[in-house]
């Protein structure tokens, strides 16, 4: 027996639909030179294309003779990184901070902000900083930001102070 169009239109609706947002609306900021750890001054990194966060955990082998022939694991240390790409912009403060941090091996504070203004922060090293300068494409940068310590859970933004020349 086939359902009618009228019957199909009465399918139940999700009482709590998911609030989806576009990845293009998640922006990366760096704590600029006039900021401190206690009072950051966030500088948006300009011309962003991607800022993909990878969270992972090591495992500790806990297999024993009575585990029935199955491996057993314990959660180990957690780590995070951000794979970042952007178009190169001349005189962009955020891009200059990433380049400087890479060339000098210094740790920087970063912030990822969602469209609902919730954000997460963490300290990281810029462990890769590549420039793409193909003749047939716009000049790009790609970078890997490797976390040092915790990347915080998302929290509500109550006082955003931003500066810099970054553009989206």
């Amino acid at each position: 027996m086939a359902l009618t169009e009228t019957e199909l239109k009465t399918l139940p609706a999700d009482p709590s639909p998911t609030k989806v947002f576009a990845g293009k609306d998640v922006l990366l900021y760096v704590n600029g030179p006039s900021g401190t750890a206690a009072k950051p001054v966030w500088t948006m990194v300009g011309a962003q294309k991607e800022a993909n966060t990878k969270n992972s955990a090591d495992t500790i082998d806990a297999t024993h003779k009575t585990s029935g022939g199955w491996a057993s694991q314990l959660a180990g240390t957690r780590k995070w990184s951000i794979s970042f790409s952007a178009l190169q912009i001349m005189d962009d403060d955020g891009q200059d901070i990433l380049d400087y941090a890479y060339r000098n091996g210094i740790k920087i504070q970063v912030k990822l902000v969602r469209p609902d203004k919730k954000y997460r922060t963490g300290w990281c090293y810029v462990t890769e900083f590549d420039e793409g300068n193909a003749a047939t494409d716009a000049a790009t940068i790609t970078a890997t930001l490797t976390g040092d310590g915790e990347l915080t859970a998302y929290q509500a933004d109550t006082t955003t102070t931003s500066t810099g020349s970054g553009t989206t």
Side-chain angles (χ1 to χ4, degrees):
M1 177 171 191
L3 294 173
T4 67
E5 183 74 22
T6 304
E7 291 173 316
L8 289 171
K9 287 182 180 178
T10 63
L11 289 170
D14 184 353
S16 56
T18 304
K19 294 180 181 178
V20 178
F21 55 90
K24 69 177 183 60
D25 296 328
V26 178
L27 297 173
L28 177 70
Y29 293 80
V30 291
N31 190 357
S34 58
T36 65
K39 285 194 149 213
V41 176
W42 298 108
T43 302
M44 186 175 63
V45 182
Q48 298 178 34
K49 294 181 73 69
E50 291 185 332
N52 298 319
T53 305
K54 179 179 180 180
N55 297 287
S56 63
D58 295 326
T59 57
I60 300 166
D61 184 10
T63 306
H64 49 88
K65 291 180 180 181
T66 60
S67 62
W70 290 95
S72 183
Q73 306 291 325
L74 297 173
T77 56
R78 294 176 305 278
K79 55 190 169 192
W80 62 273
S81 64
I82 298 172
S83 298
F84 175 79
S85 68
L87 298 175
Q88 285 187 46
I89 297 180
M90 293 183 265
D91 300 320
D92 181 79
D93 294 343
Q95 291 183 8
D96 290 345
I97 291 168
L98 292 177
D99 180 48
Y100 180 85
Y102 171 73
R103 288 183 298 102
N104 292 280
I106 62 169
K107 197 173 359 178
I108 57 172
Q109 189 178 25
V110 295
K111 177 179 179 180
L112 287 166
V113 181
R114 297 188 324 195
D116 63 359
K117 304 301 181 207
K118 288 187 177 178
Y119 70 93
R120 60 188 341 168
T121 63
W123 288 87
C124 63
Y125 289 97
V126 181
T127 54
E128 292 182 43
F129 190 86
D130 302 321
E131 297 179 19
N133 298 303
T136 58
D137 290 327
T140 61
I141 60 169
T142 57
T144 301
L145 313 177
T146 303
D148 184 51
E150 179 184 14
L151 181 63
T152 65
Y154 280 103
Q155 52 199 309
D157 190 0
T158 55
T159 58
T160 296
T161 306
S162 298
T163 186
S165 59
T167 58
T168 56

